[in-house]
Amino acid sequence: LADTSKEGSMATEVKGIPKFWLDVLLNNSLISEMITENDQPILHHLDDIRCKLGFVLEFHFSPNEYFSNECLTKQYFFNKRPPADNPLDYDGPEITRCNGCTINWKPGKNVTIKVMKKVKKHKNRKDIRTVTKTVKRDSFFNFFDPPKECLSEPDLDEEVVELLHEDFKIGHHLREYVIPRAVLYFTGELEDDDDEDEDNDDFDDDEVDSDDGEV
């Protein structure tokens, strides 16, 4: 992994700049695609993003009107076991699943859902009733509610596999690039192409958590 300690310390020095992390995320093309207009007022309260050893992402928020959590977390688990049928084909630890967290939304503030109301009339009677339906909508905060399945499970639905791979890509990108180079994203000095040139999916064995059922 690249030595990003200097860039990480720079991010610590700028703590307290209004909208710092919101601007960092918006200036990264991969992450900005996840952020909706409804998300931005909430992300104004994002004070810090950290990655703990074992690949646990922590999003720290100041008190706000949207949810009561002070910290939202996302944890990734790895399979460190070489393939039994071909151990020489082992390329290193691979992410197999992830856990989000429960967001304690305040009443009427959940931006991950939309309440739809439809007025229905009875065919034979004149009475009218309103039917309420809750549907999921796009939001950055869906990141904390990933699929529960594990990639090692047999016969996984293709859509679930695609969602998991995309989630793993985002988590890896946050850890390897966004967090340690936050200042450069904030100032606009770093282009996404700079990250792509250095991108790799290798992980050090002492930096990852294994899943319970895996080595």
Side-chain angles (χ1 to χ4, degrees):
L1 297 177
D3 182 7
T4 56
S5 57
K6 182 178 179 181
E7 291 164 330
S9 63
M10 290 172 64
T12 303
E13 293 174 6
V14 297
K15 185 178 180 181
I17 296 178
K19 300 197 303 98
F20 173 78
W21 281 103
L22 171 59
D23 288 342
V24 168
L25 298 180
L26 288 175
N27 286 340
N28 181 277
S29 60
L30 179 64
I31 309 301
S32 64
E33 291 179 356
M34 304 165 56
I35 300 174
T36 69
E37 186 176 344
N38 291 324
D39 295 327
Q40 293 195 31
I42 308 175
L43 292 172
H44 274 255
H45 298 277
L46 180 58
D47 285 342
D48 200 6
I49 306 177
R50 305 172 191 168
C51 186
K52 295 176 62 177
L53 191 64
F55 206 163
V56 180
L57 297 172
E58 294 183 341
F59 295 73
H60 294 264
F61 288 83
S62 60
N64 60 80
E65 61 183 285
Y66 300 96
F67 48 72
S68 59
N69 309 65
E70 294 182 359
C71 179
L72 303 180
T73 60
K74 185 72 169 285
Q75 182 173 11
Y76 291 88
F77 297 88
F78 294 77
N79 177 17
K80 297 167 62 177
R81 179 182 300 164
D85 56 343
N86 190 6
L88 296 179
D89 197 33
Y90 181 60
D91 292 328
E94 294 181 338
I95 303 175
T96 57
R97 70 179 181 92
C98 55
N99 284 342
C101 67
T102 299
I103 301 179
N104 300 317
W105 294 101
K106 295 180 180 180
K109 298 296 184 179
N110 189 345
V111 297
T112 67
I113 60 173
K114 178 168 59 176
V115 178
M116 303 180 66
K117 294 182 178 180
K118 186 175 182 180
V119 177
K120 287 191 174 183
K121 291 184 178 180
H122 195 279
K123 289 183 178 180
N124 301 320
R125 301 194 302 268
K126 293 183 179 180
D127 56 319
I128 299 175
R129 63 190 180 96
T130 301
V131 178
T132 301
K133 182 180 180 182
T134 301
V135 296
K136 195 169 184 177
R137 65 177 173 185
D138 292 339
S139 170
F140 171 81
F141 293 92
N142 288 327
F143 179 65
F144 301 98
D145 185 26
K148 303 296 188 293
E149 292 84 354
C150 177
L151 273 183
S152 60
E153 295 177 19
D155 303 322
L156 270 185
D157 183 82
E158 186 175 333
E159 183 178 351
V160 172
V161 172
E162 185 177 340
L163 287 172
L164 286 171
H165 279 303
E166 182 64 21
D167 190 291
F168 301 164
K169 176 182 177 182
I170 293 167
H172 174 69
H173 193 74
L174 283 165
R175 183 178 86 156
E176 294 299 310
Y177 302 113
V178 176
I179 295 175
R181 305 176 185 182
V183 172
L184 299 180
Y185 277 112
F186 178 75
T187 60
E189 296 176 63
L190 186 64
E191 299 290 338
D192 287 337
D193 290 343
D194 297 336
D195 285 347
E196 293 174 2
D197 291 340
E198 302 176 20
D199 195 16
N200 67 77
D201 294 325
D202 296 332
F203 299 94
D204 294 337
D205 285 352
D206 59 351
E207 291 190 352
V208 300
D209 275 349
S210 297
D211 208 346
D212 294 338
E214 298 164 332
V215 176

